[in-house]
């Protein structure tokens, strides 16, 4: 079923079950990379780890070959915000901050998720920024679940709650132009989900809607630039950045975070669907 205008794809509960399979593959790949992050490890090493986990599960990397992207993950270090290309020459150092973004396709359905982690001993202020991004992501997901439950939710309720959480936490830049997206039989679908804005606007939040929610924040200016490789997005002021993401789907009785091992229950409690064991 597709909504007119924005071409929003609404999924059935059975289709969301299939997305859960892809989401768990992504979660396993991110867990494996998190364990491997250490000084001396290259971003190409992490890419190889993720690809092995994905293919061993019978899935396919969503990113590899996507519009010519050459790798299975995006690995964005320090001032790199998103879309960093893994390289054997980019070797992690003590104190770095790295965002690992990963997607997988299983039985034709996508999962997409990202984490930001410190490398070895990391400045607590940077780890705090990553925590703020994660809190903002969960606030956006919770807003979606509440809005779908009461029948009054609109897309920008997510954006508003992401922004509100970041603003309350400190003086961080919220990257403009980039954001979350619909997801399902394609990795990127309508609608685009900004990480800032006023509530109560845009399409309704309703069962069957599946979105990737992904705050991107910086320690300084929100302004970014794209490098000559045509992919890597960096902060213009060279400030450090954090990026986190989960795929979430709305059902009749709650939300299911398909890329979280516990379905989101640890952060969302009873907002999570009973379909999730």
């Amino acid at each position: 079923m597709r909504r007119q205008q924005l071409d929003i794809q609404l999924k059935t509960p059975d289709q969301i079950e299939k997305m859960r399979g892809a989401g768990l593959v992504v979660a396993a790949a991110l867990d494996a990379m998190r364990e491997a992050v250490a000084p001396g490890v290259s971003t190409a090493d992490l890419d190889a780890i993720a690809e092995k986990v994905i293919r061993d599960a019978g899935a396919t990397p969503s990113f590899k070959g996507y519009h010519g992207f050459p790798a299975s993950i995006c690995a964005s270090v320090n001032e790199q915000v998103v879309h960093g290309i893994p390289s054997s020459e980019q070797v992690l150092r003590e104190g770095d901050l790295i965002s690992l973004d990963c997607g997988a396709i299983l039985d034709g359905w996508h999962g997409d998720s990202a984490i930001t982690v410190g490398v070895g001993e990391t400045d607590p202020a940077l780890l705090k920024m990553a925590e703020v991004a994660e809190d903002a992501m969960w606030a956006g997901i919770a807003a979606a679940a509440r809005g779908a439950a009461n029948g009054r939710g609109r897309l920008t309720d997510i954006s508003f709650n992401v922004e509100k959480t970041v603003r309350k936490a400190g003086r961080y830049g919220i990257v403009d132009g980039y954001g979350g997206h619909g997801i399902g039989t394609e990795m990127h679908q309508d609608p685009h989900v900004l990480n800032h804005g006023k509530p109560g606007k845009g399409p309704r939040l309703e069962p069957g809607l599946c979105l990737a929610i992904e705050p991107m924040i910086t320690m300084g200016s929100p302004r970014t630039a794209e490098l000559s490789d045509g992919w890597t997005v960096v902060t213009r002021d060279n400030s450090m950045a954090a990026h986190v993401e989960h795929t979430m789907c709305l059902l009749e009785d709650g939300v299911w975070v398909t890329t979280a091992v516990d379905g989101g229950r640890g952060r969302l409690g009873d907002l999570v669907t009973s379909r999730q064991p």
Side-chain angles (χ1 to χ4, degrees), residues 41-49 73 75 85-90:
V41 173
S42 76
T43 53
D45 294 333
L46 298 173
D47 181 66
I49 289 168
I73 65 166
I85 300 174
S87 169
S88 59
E89 297 178 359
Q90 187 168 46

Side-chain angles (χ1 to χ4, degrees), residues 13-170:
D14 287 345
Q15 290 170 335
I16 291 171
E17 290 272 6
K18 293 180 179 180
M19 290 185 66
R20 172 61 163 169
L24 289 175
V25 173
V26 172
L30 287 171
D31 283 345
M33 287 189 286
R34 188 197 296 271
E35 288 294 318
V37 165
V41 173
S42 76
T43 53
D45 294 333
L46 298 173
D47 181 66
I49 289 168
E51 181 162 1
K52 185 177 189 308
V53 171
I54 292 168
R55 294 197 186 278
D56 284 353
T60 304
S62 298
F63 297 177
K64 198 162 193 176
Y66 183 76
H67 295 296
F69 191 77
S72 296
I73 65 166
C74 297
S76 306
V77 182
N78 296 335
E79 76 282 358
Q80 297 172 352
V81 183
V82 287
H83 304 161
I85 300 174
S87 169
S88 59
E89 297 178 359
Q90 187 168 46
V91 177
L92 299 178
R93 298 174 298 178
E94 192 88 14
D96 282 346
L97 193 70
I98 181 170
S99 166
L100 298 164
D101 191 357
C102 182
I105 312 165
L106 186 65
D107 296 329
W109 295 90
H110 287 255
D112 190 6
S113 184
I115 57 175
T116 293
V117 297
V119 181
E121 291 294 325
T122 309
D123 184 344
L126 298 180
L127 298 179
K128 176 64 176 177
M129 174 177 61
E131 182 181 330
V132 168
E134 190 164 346
D135 288 345
M137 174 186 66
W138 286 109
I141 295 171
R146 290 192 299 268
N150 64 31
R152 298 190 297 273
R154 296 281 187 169
L155 184 70
T156 62
D157 297 347
I158 299 172
S159 310
F160 174 76
N161 280 276
V162 168
E163 180 178 12
K164 181 173 71 173
T165 302
V166 174
R167 299 295 185 214
K168 286 178 65 175

